[in-house]
Amino acid sequence: MLNIVLFGAPGAGKGTQAAKLVEKYHLVHLSTGDMLRSEIARNTERGIIAKQLIGNGNFVPDSIVVAMIEERIKEHTSPEGFIFDGFPRTVPQAEILDSMLLEHSLSVAGMVALSVPENELVRRLLVRGKLSNRADDQNEEIIRNRISVYHEKTAPLVDYYANQGKHVSTKGTGSIEEIFLNLCTAIEKFR
Ligand code: ADP
Protein backbone atom coordinates (compact mmCIF):
# COMPACT_ATOMS: atom_id res chain seq x y z
CA MET A 1 0.00 0.00 0.00
CA LEU A 2 1.11 3.52 -0.75
CA ASN A 3 0.19 5.88 2.09
CA ILE A 4 1.32 9.41 1.35
CA VAL A 5 1.16 12.56 3.44
CA LEU A 6 0.74 15.54 1.11
CA PHE A 7 2.21 18.51 2.88
CA GLY A 8 2.30 22.26 2.38
CA ALA A 9 1.11 25.59 3.71
CA PRO A 10 -2.45 26.82 3.11
CA GLY A 11 -2.64 27.71 -0.58
CA ALA A 12 0.24 25.42 -1.55
CA GLY A 13 -2.04 23.51 -3.92
CA LYS A 14 -2.54 20.28 -1.98
CA GLY A 15 -6.17 19.82 -3.04
CA THR A 16 -5.43 20.34 -6.75
CA GLN A 17 -2.51 17.94 -6.74
CA ALA A 18 -4.26 15.39 -4.51
CA ALA A 19 -7.01 15.00 -7.12
CA LYS A 20 -4.40 14.20 -9.79
CA LEU A 21 -2.50 11.79 -7.53
CA VAL A 22 -5.71 9.95 -6.65
CA GLU A 23 -6.35 9.37 -10.33
CA LYS A 24 -2.84 8.20 -11.13
CA TYR A 25 -2.19 5.97 -8.11
CA HIS A 26 -5.81 4.98 -7.26
CA LEU A 27 -5.50 6.32 -3.75
CA VAL A 28 -8.27 7.27 -1.33
CA HIS A 29 -8.14 11.02 -0.70
CA LEU A 30 -8.56 11.95 2.97
CA SER A 31 -8.78 15.74 3.33
CA THR A 32 -9.71 16.89 6.82
CA GLY A 33 -10.51 20.36 5.42
CA ASP A 34 -13.07 18.86 2.97
CA MET A 35 -14.51 16.63 5.71
CA LEU A 36 -14.88 19.58 8.07
CA ARG A 37 -16.54 21.74 5.39
CA SER A 38 -18.98 18.89 4.79
CA GLU A 39 -19.72 18.65 8.55
CA ILE A 40 -20.33 22.43 8.57
CA ALA A 41 -22.63 22.23 5.54
CA ARG A 42 -24.62 19.47 7.24
CA ASN A 43 -24.73 21.47 10.48
CA THR A 44 -23.56 18.49 12.55
CA GLU A 45 -22.26 18.75 16.12
CA ARG A 46 -18.71 18.62 14.78
CA GLY A 47 -19.54 21.22 12.16
CA ILE A 48 -20.92 23.63 14.73
CA ILE A 49 -17.69 23.41 16.76
CA ALA A 50 -15.48 23.66 13.66
CA LYS A 51 -17.22 26.58 11.98
CA GLN A 52 -16.01 29.42 14.15
CA LEU A 53 -12.51 28.00 14.64
CA ILE A 54 -11.98 27.61 10.89
CA GLY A 55 -13.47 31.03 10.16
CA ASN A 56 -10.82 32.58 12.42
CA GLY A 57 -7.99 30.54 10.91
CA ASN A 58 -7.48 28.33 13.96
CA PHE A 59 -7.25 24.55 14.30
CA VAL A 60 -10.14 22.27 15.11
CA PRO A 61 -9.58 19.99 18.16
CA ASP A 62 -7.63 16.78 17.58
CA SER A 63 -10.52 14.72 18.94
CA ILE A 64 -12.65 15.75 15.94
CA VAL A 65 -10.10 15.41 13.13
CA VAL A 66 -8.68 12.16 14.49
CA ALA A 67 -12.16 10.62 14.75
CA MET A 68 -12.97 11.62 11.16
CA ILE A 69 -9.74 10.10 9.84
CA GLU A 70 -10.18 6.93 11.86
CA GLU A 71 -13.71 6.42 10.53
CA ARG A 72 -12.45 6.69 6.93
CA ILE A 73 -9.50 4.33 7.48
CA LYS A 74 -11.89 1.72 8.93
CA GLU A 75 -14.35 2.22 6.06
CA HIS A 76 -11.83 1.41 3.33
CA THR A 77 -10.71 -2.12 3.97
CA SER A 78 -8.38 -2.69 1.03
CA PRO A 79 -7.50 0.53 -0.81
CA GLU A 80 -4.30 0.83 -2.84
CA GLY A 81 -3.33 3.56 -0.42
CA PHE A 82 -4.40 6.75 1.29
CA ILE A 83 -3.37 10.28 0.52
CA PHE A 84 -3.54 12.42 3.64
CA ASP A 85 -4.21 16.09 2.88
CA GLY A 86 -4.36 18.59 5.76
CA PHE A 87 -3.70 15.83 8.27
CA PRO A 88 -1.47 15.46 10.21
CA ARG A 89 -1.09 19.17 10.95
CA THR A 90 0.89 18.87 14.19
CA VAL A 91 3.50 16.48 15.56
CA PRO A 92 1.01 14.95 18.04
CA GLN A 93 -1.39 14.31 15.12
CA ALA A 94 1.44 12.58 13.23
CA GLU A 95 2.09 10.34 16.23
CA ILE A 96 -1.61 9.51 16.47
CA LEU A 97 -1.70 8.72 12.72
CA ASP A 98 1.28 6.39 13.05
CA SER A 99 -0.34 4.44 15.87
CA MET A 100 -3.72 4.38 14.11
CA LEU A 101 -2.13 2.95 10.96
CA LEU A 102 -0.08 0.47 12.97
CA GLU A 103 -3.30 -0.97 14.41
CA HIS A 104 -4.18 -1.89 10.82
CA SER A 105 -0.60 -3.07 10.11
CA LEU A 106 -0.08 -0.01 7.89
CA SER A 107 2.41 2.87 7.85
CA VAL A 108 3.16 6.18 6.13
CA ALA A 109 5.41 5.57 3.10
CA GLY A 110 6.48 9.20 2.92
CA MET A 111 5.64 12.87 3.08
CA VAL A 112 5.84 15.03 -0.03
CA ALA A 113 5.93 18.75 0.62
CA LEU A 114 4.92 21.49 -1.80
CA SER A 115 7.11 24.51 -1.29
CA VAL A 116 5.62 27.92 -2.19
CA PRO A 117 6.83 31.43 -1.18
CA GLU A 118 4.61 33.20 1.33
CA ASN A 119 3.56 36.10 -0.91
CA GLU A 120 2.40 33.64 -3.55
CA LEU A 121 0.38 31.73 -0.90
CA VAL A 122 -1.41 34.90 0.18
CA ARG A 123 -2.08 35.87 -3.42
CA ARG A 124 -3.56 32.45 -4.28
CA LEU A 125 -5.74 32.35 -1.16
CA LEU A 126 -7.16 35.82 -1.82
CA VAL A 127 -8.03 34.72 -5.37
CA ARG A 128 -9.64 31.53 -4.01
CA GLY A 129 -11.57 33.65 -1.49
CA LYS A 130 -13.09 35.66 -4.33
CA LEU A 131 -14.08 32.52 -6.26
CA SER A 132 -15.38 30.45 -3.34
CA ASN A 133 -17.21 31.42 -0.22
CA ARG A 134 -14.66 29.85 2.10
CA ALA A 135 -14.81 32.01 5.22
CA ASP A 136 -11.11 31.46 5.95
CA ASP A 137 -10.01 32.81 2.54
CA GLN A 138 -11.87 36.11 2.77
CA ASN A 139 -9.36 38.43 4.36
CA GLU A 140 -5.63 38.86 4.50
CA GLU A 141 -5.45 39.01 8.30
CA ILE A 142 -7.03 35.56 8.69
CA ILE A 143 -4.85 34.19 5.88
CA ARG A 144 -1.68 35.55 7.57
CA ASN A 145 -2.84 34.01 10.86
CA ARG A 146 -3.22 30.60 9.18
CA ILE A 147 0.23 30.88 7.67
CA SER A 148 1.75 31.80 11.02
CA VAL A 149 -0.05 28.87 12.73
CA TYR A 150 1.37 26.73 9.92
CA HIS A 151 4.94 27.88 10.64
CA GLU A 152 4.57 27.40 14.37
CA LYS A 153 2.67 24.11 14.56
CA THR A 154 2.77 22.36 11.20
CA ALA A 155 6.25 23.05 9.80
CA PRO A 156 7.92 20.94 12.58
CA LEU A 157 6.38 17.90 10.87
CA VAL A 158 9.10 18.19 8.22
CA ASP A 159 11.68 17.15 10.82
CA TYR A 160 9.37 14.44 12.15
CA TYR A 161 9.29 12.71 8.75
CA ALA A 162 12.83 13.70 7.71
CA ASN A 163 14.18 11.95 10.82
CA GLN A 164 12.57 8.76 9.53
CA GLY A 165 13.96 9.29 6.02
CA LYS A 166 10.42 9.90 4.76
CA HIS A 167 10.46 13.53 3.61
CA VAL A 168 10.85 14.93 0.10
CA SER A 169 10.29 18.58 -0.80
CA THR A 170 9.17 19.67 -4.26
CA LYS A 171 8.70 23.03 -5.89
CA GLY A 172 5.07 24.12 -5.64
CA THR A 173 5.27 26.88 -8.26
CA GLY A 174 5.07 26.57 -12.04
CA SER A 175 2.34 24.91 -14.06
CA ILE A 176 -0.01 22.38 -12.42
CA GLU A 177 1.37 19.71 -14.73
CA GLU A 178 5.02 20.53 -13.92
CA ILE A 179 4.33 20.40 -10.19
CA PHE A 180 2.49 17.11 -10.63
CA LEU A 181 5.43 15.54 -12.48
CA ASN A 182 7.80 16.62 -9.70
CA LEU A 183 5.47 15.15 -7.10
CA CYS A 184 5.27 11.85 -8.98
CA THR A 185 9.07 11.66 -9.15
CA ALA A 186 9.18 12.25 -5.39
CA ILE A 187 6.53 9.59 -4.73
CA GLU A 188 8.35 7.00 -6.84
CA LYS A 189 11.14 7.18 -4.23
CA PHE A 190 8.74 5.79 -1.63
CA ARG A 191 7.50 2.87 -3.68
P1 ADP B 1 -5.82 25.06 3.99
O1 ADP B 1 -4.69 24.09 3.96
O2 ADP B 1 -6.07 25.74 2.68
O3 ADP B 1 -5.75 26.01 5.13
P2 ADP B 1 -7.78 22.95 4.66
O4 ADP B 1 -8.92 22.80 3.75
O5 ADP B 1 -6.76 21.86 4.74
O6 ADP B 1 -7.16 24.34 4.25
O7 ADP B 1 -8.29 23.24 6.15
C1 ADP B 1 -9.17 24.30 6.46
C2 ADP B 1 -9.22 24.50 7.96
O8 ADP B 1 -9.75 23.33 8.60
C3 ADP B 1 -7.88 24.74 8.66
O9 ADP B 1 -7.44 26.08 8.61
C4 ADP B 1 -8.22 24.29 10.08
O10 ADP B 1 -8.96 25.27 10.76
C5 ADP B 1 -9.13 23.10 9.87
N1 ADP B 1 -8.38 21.83 9.83
C6 ADP B 1 -8.16 21.05 8.73
N2 ADP B 1 -7.41 19.98 9.04
C7 ADP B 1 -7.11 20.08 10.36
C8 ADP B 1 -6.34 19.31 11.26
N3 ADP B 1 -5.69 18.21 10.86
N4 ADP B 1 -6.25 19.72 12.56
C9 ADP B 1 -6.88 20.82 12.98
N5 ADP B 1 -7.63 21.62 12.19
C10 ADP B 1 -7.74 21.26 10.88
Side-chain angles (χ1 to χ4, degrees):
M1 247 178 85
L2 181 67
N3 298 313
I4 299 289
V5 173
L6 185 58
F7 187 82
K14 298 186 293 289
T16 306
Q17 296 296 335
K20 295 174 73 66
L21 292 170
V22 162
E23 202 182 331
K24 177 169 166 116
Y25 294 106
H26 313 290
L27 305 173
V28 173
H29 182 204
L30 299 185
S31 158
T32 41
D34 287 350
M35 293 175 205
L36 288 167
R37 282 184 288 277
S38 155
E39 298 275 353
I40 292 171
R42 287 179 285 123
N43 210 23
T44 62
E45 209 172 305
R46 287 172 181 165
I48 292 165
I49 298 169
K51 189 171 180 177
Q52 198 177 4
L53 291 165
I54 293 181
N56 290 324
N58 295 315
F59 285 169
V60 170
D62 283 357
S63 55
I64 294 183
V65 287
V66 167
M68 294 189 313
I69 289 281
E70 193 162 27
E71 285 163 15
R72 301 311 192 286
I73 291 177
K74 284 192 177 139
E75 236 169 67
H76 294 91
T77 45
S78 55
E80 292 187 37
F82 293 106
I83 180 154
F84 296 95
D85 164 2
F87 182 91
R89 238 180 174 83
T90 60
V91 171
Q93 287 184 6
E95 290 166 349
I96 293 171
L97 177 61
D98 280 345
S99 56
M100 225 156 38
L101 289 173
L102 196 62
E103 276 176 36
H104 298 265
S105 309
L106 303 174
S107 62
V108 169
M111 172 228 247
V112 277
L114 287 167
S115 164
V116 177
E118 179 153 340
N119 282 345
E120 173 66 8
L121 296 173
V122 175
R123 193 194 64 78
R124 289 183 189 179
L125 291 170
L126 286 170
V127 170
R128 188 166 78 185
K130 287 210 181 83
L131 300 174
S132 75
N133 53 5
R134 270 185 64 161
D136 51 349
D137 289 341
Q138 297 300 322
N139 84 60
E140 187 161 338
E141 195 187 328
I142 290 169
I143 289 173
R144 296 252 178 221
N145 180 44
R146 281 158 65 203
I147 295 175
S148 92
V149 171
Y150 166 81
H151 284 302
E152 187 195 333
K153 299 197 172 138
T154 308
L157 278 174
V158 168
D159 283 344
Y160 180 86
Y161 288 104
N163 288 338
Q164 302 174 45
K166 292 183 177 178
H167 162 255
V168 179
S169 179
T170 62
K171 197 165 144 244
T173 52
S175 74
I176 290 178
E177 214 45 52
E178 245 166 44
I179 297 167
F180 179 61
L181 287 177
N182 289 335
L183 274 179
C184 293
T185 308
I187 287 175
E188 293 304 328
K189 294 184 188 148
F190 301 135
R191 301 190 90 195

Short mmCIF file of all heavy atoms in Angstrom, two decimals, residues 91-127:
data_model
loop_
_atom_site.label_atom_id
_atom_site.label_comp_id
_atom_site.label_asym_id
_atom_site.label_seq_id
_atom_site.Cartn_x
_atom_site.Cartn_y
_atom_site.Cartn_z
N VAL A 91 2.75 17.69 15.23
CA VAL A 91 3.50 16.48 15.56
C VAL A 91 2.63 15.48 16.35
O VAL A 91 2.61 14.29 16.01
CB VAL A 91 4.83 16.83 16.28
CG1 VAL A 91 5.50 15.58 16.82
CG2 VAL A 91 5.76 17.58 15.32
N PRO A 92 1.87 15.93 17.37
CA PRO A 92 1.01 14.95 18.04
C PRO A 92 0.03 14.25 17.08
O PRO A 92 -0.19 13.04 17.21
CB PRO A 92 0.24 15.80 19.08
CG PRO A 92 1.15 16.95 19.35
CD PRO A 92 1.86 17.25 18.07
N GLN A 93 -0.50 14.97 16.10
CA GLN A 93 -1.39 14.31 15.12
C GLN A 93 -0.63 13.26 14.31
O GLN A 93 -1.17 12.21 13.97
CB GLN A 93 -2.04 15.33 14.17
CG GLN A 93 -3.12 16.17 14.84
CD GLN A 93 -3.83 17.10 13.86
OE1 GLN A 93 -3.60 17.07 12.64
NE2 GLN A 93 -4.70 17.95 14.39
N ALA A 94 0.63 13.55 13.99
CA ALA A 94 1.44 12.58 13.23
C ALA A 94 1.68 11.32 14.06
O ALA A 94 1.63 10.20 13.53
CB ALA A 94 2.77 13.21 12.82
N GLU A 95 1.88 11.51 15.36
CA GLU A 95 2.09 10.34 16.23
C GLU A 95 0.81 9.52 16.32
O GLU A 95 0.85 8.29 16.28
CB GLU A 95 2.54 10.81 17.63
CG GLU A 95 3.96 11.38 17.58
CD GLU A 95 4.36 12.16 18.83
OE1 GLU A 95 3.47 12.46 19.68
OE2 GLU A 95 5.55 12.49 18.97
N ILE A 96 -0.32 10.22 16.41
CA ILE A 96 -1.61 9.51 16.47
C ILE A 96 -1.84 8.75 15.16
O ILE A 96 -2.26 7.59 15.17
CB ILE A 96 -2.78 10.50 16.73
CG1 ILE A 96 -2.66 11.09 18.13
CG2 ILE A 96 -4.13 9.81 16.55
CD1 ILE A 96 -3.63 12.25 18.42
N LEU A 97 -1.52 9.39 14.02
CA LEU A 97 -1.70 8.72 12.72
C LEU A 97 -0.85 7.46 12.66
O LEU A 97 -1.33 6.40 12.23
CB LEU A 97 -1.34 9.67 11.57
CG LEU A 97 -1.43 9.04 10.18
CD1 LEU A 97 -2.85 8.58 9.85
CD2 LEU A 97 -0.95 10.02 9.09
N ASP A 98 0.41 7.57 13.08
CA ASP A 98 1.28 6.39 13.05
C ASP A 98 0.67 5.24 13.86
O ASP A 98 0.66 4.09 13.41
CB ASP A 98 2.67 6.73 13.60
CG ASP A 98 3.53 7.43 12.56
OD1 ASP A 98 3.17 7.40 11.36
OD2 ASP A 98 4.58 8.01 12.93
N SER A 99 0.17 5.55 15.06
CA SER A 99 -0.34 4.44 15.87
C SER A 99 -1.66 3.91 15.32
O SER A 99 -1.92 2.71 15.37
CB SER A 99 -0.42 4.79 17.36
OG SER A 99 -1.19 5.92 17.53
N MET A 100 -2.46 4.82 14.72
CA MET A 100 -3.72 4.38 14.11
C MET A 100 -3.44 3.42 12.95
O MET A 100 -4.07 2.39 12.80
CB MET A 100 -4.46 5.61 13.58
CG MET A 100 -5.90 5.65 13.89
SD MET A 100 -6.62 7.30 13.88
CE MET A 100 -5.91 8.24 12.60
N LEU A 101 -2.46 3.80 12.11
CA LEU A 101 -2.13 2.95 10.96
C LEU A 101 -1.55 1.61 11.42
O LEU A 101 -1.86 0.56 10.87
CB LEU A 101 -1.15 3.68 10.04
CG LEU A 101 -1.73 4.86 9.24
CD1 LEU A 101 -0.63 5.62 8.50
CD2 LEU A 101 -2.80 4.40 8.25
N LEU A 102 -0.71 1.69 12.46
CA LEU A 102 -0.08 0.47 12.97
C LEU A 102 -1.13 -0.55 13.41
O LEU A 102 -0.96 -1.76 13.20
CB LEU A 102 0.84 0.84 14.15
CG LEU A 102 1.85 -0.21 14.57
CD1 LEU A 102 2.82 -0.52 13.43
CD2 LEU A 102 2.64 0.27 15.81
N GLU A 103 -2.22 -0.07 13.99
CA GLU A 103 -3.30 -0.97 14.41
C GLU A 103 -3.85 -1.77 13.23
O GLU A 103 -4.42 -2.84 13.40
CB GLU A 103 -4.45 -0.18 15.02
CG GLU A 103 -4.25 0.14 16.49
CD GLU A 103 -5.37 1.01 17.02
OE1 GLU A 103 -6.53 0.84 16.59
OE2 GLU A 103 -5.05 1.90 17.84
N HIS A 104 -3.71 -1.20 12.02
CA HIS A 104 -4.18 -1.89 10.82
C HIS A 104 -3.00 -2.48 10.05
O HIS A 104 -3.13 -2.79 8.87
CB HIS A 104 -4.95 -0.92 9.92
CG HIS A 104 -6.18 -0.35 10.57
ND1 HIS A 104 -7.44 -0.87 10.41
CD2 HIS A 104 -6.33 0.70 11.42
CE1 HIS A 104 -8.32 -0.16 11.12
NE2 HIS A 104 -7.66 0.80 11.73
N SER A 105 -1.85 -2.60 10.73
CA SER A 105 -0.60 -3.07 10.11
C SER A 105 -0.20 -2.23 8.90
O SER A 105 0.31 -2.75 7.91
CB SER A 105 -0.70 -4.54 9.69
OG SER A 105 -1.16 -5.30 10.74
N LEU A 106 -0.43 -0.93 8.99
CA LEU A 106 -0.08 -0.01 7.89
C LEU A 106 0.93 1.02 8.39
O LEU A 106 1.15 1.14 9.60
CB LEU A 106 -1.34 0.73 7.40
CG LEU A 106 -2.51 -0.14 6.93
CD1 LEU A 106 -3.72 0.75 6.63
CD2 LEU A 106 -2.12 -0.92 5.69
N SER A 107 1.51 1.78 7.45
CA SER A 107 2.41 2.87 7.85
C SER A 107 2.44 3.93 6.76
O SER A 107 1.97 3.71 5.64
CB SER A 107 3.82 2.32 8.08
OG SER A 107 4.30 1.78 6.87
N VAL A 108 2.99 5.10 7.11
CA VAL A 108 3.16 6.18 6.13
C VAL A 108 4.41 5.85 5.30
O VAL A 108 5.48 5.60 5.86
CB VAL A 108 3.35 7.53 6.86
CG1 VAL A 108 3.79 8.61 5.89
CG2 VAL A 108 2.08 7.95 7.58
N ALA A 109 4.24 5.83 3.97
CA ALA A 109 5.41 5.57 3.10
C ALA A 109 6.30 6.81 3.05
O ALA A 109 7.52 6.71 3.09
CB ALA A 109 4.94 5.20 1.70
N GLY A 110 5.68 7.98 2.97
CA GLY A 110 6.48 9.20 2.92
C GLY A 110 5.63 10.44 2.90
O GLY A 110 4.41 10.38 2.70
N MET A 111 6.31 11.56 3.13
CA MET A 111 5.64 12.87 3.08
C MET A 111 6.23 13.66 1.92
O MET A 111 7.44 13.80 1.80
CB MET A 111 5.91 13.61 4.38
CG MET A 111 5.43 15.03 4.33
SD MET A 111 6.65 16.18 4.90
CE MET A 111 5.86 16.76 6.36
N VAL A 112 5.36 14.15 1.05
CA VAL A 112 5.84 15.03 -0.03
C VAL A 112 5.34 16.44 0.24
O VAL A 112 4.14 16.66 0.44
CB VAL A 112 5.40 14.58 -1.44
CG1 VAL A 112 6.32 13.52 -1.97
CG2 VAL A 112 3.98 14.11 -1.48
N ALA A 113 6.27 17.37 0.27
CA ALA A 113 5.93 18.75 0.62
C ALA A 113 5.97 19.62 -0.61
O ALA A 113 6.87 19.52 -1.45
CB ALA A 113 6.93 19.26 1.66
N LEU A 114 4.97 20.50 -0.72
CA LEU A 114 4.92 21.49 -1.80
C LEU A 114 5.44 22.80 -1.23
O LEU A 114 4.87 23.33 -0.27
CB LEU A 114 3.47 21.69 -2.26
CG LEU A 114 2.87 20.56 -3.07
CD1 LEU A 114 1.36 20.74 -3.18
CD2 LEU A 114 3.50 20.53 -4.46
N SER A 115 6.50 23.31 -1.83
CA SER A 115 7.11 24.51 -1.29
C SER A 115 6.74 25.73 -2.14
O SER A 115 7.00 25.76 -3.34
CB SER A 115 8.61 24.24 -1.25
OG SER A 115 9.30 25.41 -1.11
N VAL A 116 6.11 26.72 -1.49
CA VAL A 116 5.62 27.92 -2.19
C VAL A 116 5.96 29.15 -1.35
O VAL A 116 5.71 29.15 -0.14
CB VAL A 116 4.08 27.83 -2.38
CG1 VAL A 116 3.53 29.09 -3.04
CG2 VAL A 116 3.69 26.61 -3.20
N PRO A 117 6.52 30.22 -1.95
CA PRO A 117 6.83 31.43 -1.18
C PRO A 117 5.57 32.06 -0.58
O PRO A 117 4.49 31.98 -1.18
CB PRO A 117 7.45 32.38 -2.23
CG PRO A 117 7.77 31.55 -3.40
CD PRO A 117 6.88 30.34 -3.37
N GLU A 118 5.76 32.69 0.58
CA GLU A 118 4.61 33.20 1.33
C GLU A 118 3.73 34.20 0.56
O GLU A 118 2.51 34.13 0.62
CB GLU A 118 5.10 33.82 2.65
CG GLU A 118 3.96 34.39 3.45
CD GLU A 118 4.22 34.43 4.94
OE1 GLU A 118 5.10 33.71 5.44
OE2 GLU A 118 3.52 35.20 5.61
N ASN A 119 4.37 35.11 -0.18
CA ASN A 119 3.56 36.10 -0.91
C ASN A 119 2.67 35.44 -1.95
O ASN A 119 1.54 35.87 -2.20
CB ASN A 119 4.45 37.14 -1.60
CG ASN A 119 4.93 38.16 -0.59
OD1 ASN A 119 4.40 38.24 0.51
ND2 ASN A 119 5.95 38.92 -0.97
N GLU A 120 3.18 34.38 -2.56
CA GLU A 120 2.40 33.64 -3.55
C GLU A 120 1.23 32.91 -2.85
O GLU A 120 0.13 32.85 -3.40
CB GLU A 120 3.33 32.66 -4.28
CG GLU A 120 2.65 31.68 -5.23
CD GLU A 120 1.99 32.33 -6.45
OE1 GLU A 120 2.17 33.55 -6.68
OE2 GLU A 120 1.26 31.60 -7.16
N LEU A 121 1.47 32.40 -1.65
CA LEU A 121 0.38 31.73 -0.90
C LEU A 121 -0.76 32.71 -0.65
O LEU A 121 -1.93 32.40 -0.90
CB LEU A 121 0.89 31.22 0.46
CG LEU A 121 1.95 30.14 0.47
CD1 LEU A 121 2.45 29.90 1.89
CD2 LEU A 121 1.40 28.83 -0.10
N VAL A 122 -0.39 33.90 -0.16
CA VAL A 122 -1.41 34.90 0.18
C VAL A 122 -2.18 35.29 -1.08
O VAL A 122 -3.41 35.37 -1.08
CB VAL A 122 -0.77 36.14 0.84
CG1 VAL A 122 -1.81 37.23 1.09
CG2 VAL A 122 -0.08 35.75 2.15
N ARG A 123 -1.44 35.48 -2.17
CA ARG A 123 -2.08 35.87 -3.42
C ARG A 123 -3.09 34.81 -3.87
O ARG A 123 -4.24 35.09 -4.17
CB ARG A 123 -1.01 36.07 -4.51
CG ARG A 123 -1.50 36.77 -5.77
CD ARG A 123 -0.51 36.65 -6.93
NE ARG A 123 -0.32 35.27 -7.37
CZ ARG A 123 -1.15 34.60 -8.14
NH1 ARG A 123 -2.25 35.16 -8.59
NH2 ARG A 123 -0.91 33.33 -8.48
N ARG A 124 -2.67 33.54 -3.84
CA ARG A 124 -3.56 32.45 -4.28
C ARG A 124 -4.80 32.36 -3.39
O ARG A 124 -5.91 32.12 -3.88
CB ARG A 124 -2.84 31.10 -4.20
CG ARG A 124 -1.75 30.92 -5.23
CD ARG A 124 -1.19 29.52 -5.08
NE ARG A 124 -0.01 29.29 -5.87
CZ ARG A 124 0.67 28.14 -5.87
NH1 ARG A 124 0.28 27.14 -5.11
NH2 ARG A 124 1.74 27.99 -6.62
N LEU A 125 -4.60 32.51 -2.07
CA LEU A 125 -5.74 32.35 -1.16
C LEU A 125 -6.74 33.49 -1.33
O LEU A 125 -7.95 33.27 -1.26
CB LEU A 125 -5.25 32.26 0.29
CG LEU A 125 -4.50 30.95 0.60
CD1 LEU A 125 -3.84 31.03 1.97
CD2 LEU A 125 -5.42 29.74 0.55
N LEU A 126 -6.23 34.69 -1.60
CA LEU A 126 -7.16 35.82 -1.82
C LEU A 126 -7.95 35.60 -3.11
O LEU A 126 -9.15 35.89 -3.16
CB LEU A 126 -6.39 37.15 -1.87
CG LEU A 126 -5.90 37.65 -0.49
CD1 LEU A 126 -4.95 38.84 -0.64
CD2 LEU A 126 -7.07 38.04 0.41
N VAL A 127 -7.31 35.05 -4.13
CA VAL A 127 -8.03 34.72 -5.37
C VAL A 127 -9.09 33.65 -5.09
O VAL A 127 -10.25 33.78 -5.48
CB VAL A 127 -7.04 34.22 -6.48
CG1 VAL A 127 -7.81 33.66 -7.67
CG2 VAL A 127 -6.10 35.33 -6.90
#
